[in-house]
Amino acid sequence: MLTEEQVAEFHENGFLNGGPLLDAAQVEVLREELQRVIANKDRDDVPQPVLLRNLHGDDSAPVWQIVNIWEASTPFKALMYSQKIVEEMAQLTGAAELRIWHDQIQYKPAEIGGTTGWHQDAPLWPIIRPMTEVSAWVAMDDVDVENGCMSMVPGSHKWGNQIAFVRTVQNFDAMPSAFEGHSIEVVRCPVKKGEVHYHHALTWHGSHDNHSKRPRRAIAIHYMTQDTYYDASGNHVMKEFVDVKDGEILRGKHFPTVWKK
Ligand SMILES: O=C(O)CCC(=O)C(=O)O
């Protein structure tokens, strides 16, 4: 469980390192599962994730993105139900129920792993509302400044949907120092192997490239609270799995409930 101070820090900054979650043996299981799912990606006789691709399509600087590895791997599925994560997620969101929106591996290989540009999550998720979700990001390596840790802008989750501006920052290291009267600080967020880090869906964030000799493997689990509903006007890779009507609470086989008060 998080302390009151940690919850307050999350509300102030829009992100928080939640500390140790998995031990080395548990991380090893996930690493092996990741390798297995990648190795089996062309087989039609084993369960597959929703998506497995190089995020930007640039072979010289790959960021391997896997969406819903939980549908292909029992240990990753178990991770979504982790008692520490769901209890802390309930503390951070005030939720009475938590469902899975989707999960997302971002794997930056050693030496050539690419950049994940500055963004906010919620505007990239136009089929769900409201824009108040929180993600749990679990490191499968020591992730630091050398191998492409995330960077966050404290307080930016309170500035609304600013994706049009955030996306204009093409050079990852060239975030302006101010935006519409807010001063902008960029905070690097190292996360140790097996730790969990939380961020709000409107927090400005991204991650630089990996030029180190070490891989950078991590999974973000994007949770929804009980009120999250489907907005059919948008588009998203998960849309084909939605079987509720426009405006209805988003639930179903691909969006399992993982916790209830
Ligand atoms: O893993 C990363 O570097 C970025 C992940 C991300 O953007 C997210 O979890 O919302």
Side-chain angles (χ1 to χ4, degrees), residues 55 63 104-108 114-117 119-121 124-125 135-137 143 148-152 199-201 203 205-208 216-222:
L55 189 56
V63 177
Q104 185 182 165
I105 297 271
Q106 284 205 12
Y107 166 27
K108 298 178 192 250
T115 298
T116 302
H119 65 282
Q120 297 174 288
D121 293 335
L124 304 181
W125 298 342
S135 298
W137 190 95
V143 176
C149 65
M150 287 196 293
S151 292
M152 305 260 159
H199 63 271
H200 188 281
T203 305
H205 65 286
S207 55
H208 57 276
R216 196 224 77 157
R217 290 162 288 192
I219 180 163
I221 308 173
H222 306 302

Side-chain angles (χ1 to χ4, degrees), residues 70-164:
W70 74 264
E71 302 205 53
S73 164
T74 306
F76 277 106
K77 183 173 180 182
L79 184 65
M80 316 183 310
Y81 292 81
S82 157
Q83 194 179 346
K84 174 181 163 74
I85 296 182
V86 294
E87 284 179 1
E88 294 183 350
M89 189 62 67
Q91 285 182 280
L92 296 176
T93 58
E97 178 185 305
L98 291 167
R99 299 185 303 276
I100 296 303
W101 163 218
H102 62 284
D103 70 26
Q104 185 182 165
I105 297 271
Q106 284 205 12
Y107 166 27
K108 298 178 192 250
E111 296 182 344
I112 55 169
T115 298
T116 302
W118 285 105
H119 65 282
Q120 297 174 288
D121 293 335
L124 304 181
W125 298 342
I127 69 166
I128 62 165
R129 292 286 178 266
M131 294 188 164
T132 50
E133 307 305 355
V134 176
S135 298
W137 190 95
V138 179
M140 289 181 267
D141 292 291
D142 285 336
V143 176
D144 50 36
V145 172
E146 286 177 3
N147 66 347
C149 65
M150 287 196 293
S151 292
M152 305 260 159
V153 174
S156 54
H157 63 305
K158 299 175 185 166
W159 306 341
N161 177 354
Q162 303 298 350
I163 192 76

